[in-house]
C-alpha cells in the first residue's frame, strides 16, 4: 500500500502505552493494532484527528507515502 501509518514513534516519544493511546483516542487496542500494522484499508478523519490531538502532532507525523513497486508487465 502506498500510504504507511507510523503510529509507533509518536506514543513512544510521549512515553504512552498502546493501551493508553487507544483508550484516550476512543478506539479498541485491536483497531489501533490494525492501523499500526498497516492492515487498515481506511481511517476515519475523526480517528486521525483524535490521534493527532492526543499525540499533539499533525497527520503528516503519522502518515507517509511510500513509493509504489513497479508492476511486472
Amino acid at each position: 500500500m502506498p500510504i504507511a501509518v507510523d503510529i509507533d514513534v509518536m506514543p513512544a516519544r510521549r512515553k504512552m502505552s498502546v493501551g493508553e493511546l487507544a483508550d484516550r483516542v476512543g478506539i479498541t487496542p485491536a483497531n489501533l493494532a490494525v492501523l499500526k500494522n498497516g492492515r487498515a484499508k481506511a481511517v476515519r478523519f475523526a480517528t486521525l484527528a483524535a490521534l493527532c490531538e492526543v499525540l499533539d502532532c499533525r497527520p503528516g507525523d503519522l502518515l507517509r507515502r511510500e513509493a509504489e513497486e513497479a508492476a511486472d508487465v
Side-chain angles (χ1 to χ4, degrees), residues 7-52:
I7 295 182
D8 288 338
V9 176
M10 300 306 287
R13 287 183 182 166
R14 282 143 181 80
K15 297 183 170 77
M16 185 181 305
S17 70
V18 174
E20 181 183 354
L21 177 60
D23 187 50
R24 292 179 63 184
V25 170
I27 62 176
T28 66
N31 283 339
L32 185 57
V34 168
L35 283 172
K36 283 179 45 179
N37 296 327
R39 295 188 318 254
K41 299 290 182 195
V43 61
R44 293 178 186 267
F45 284 144
T47 302
L48 184 58
L51 283 165
C52 289

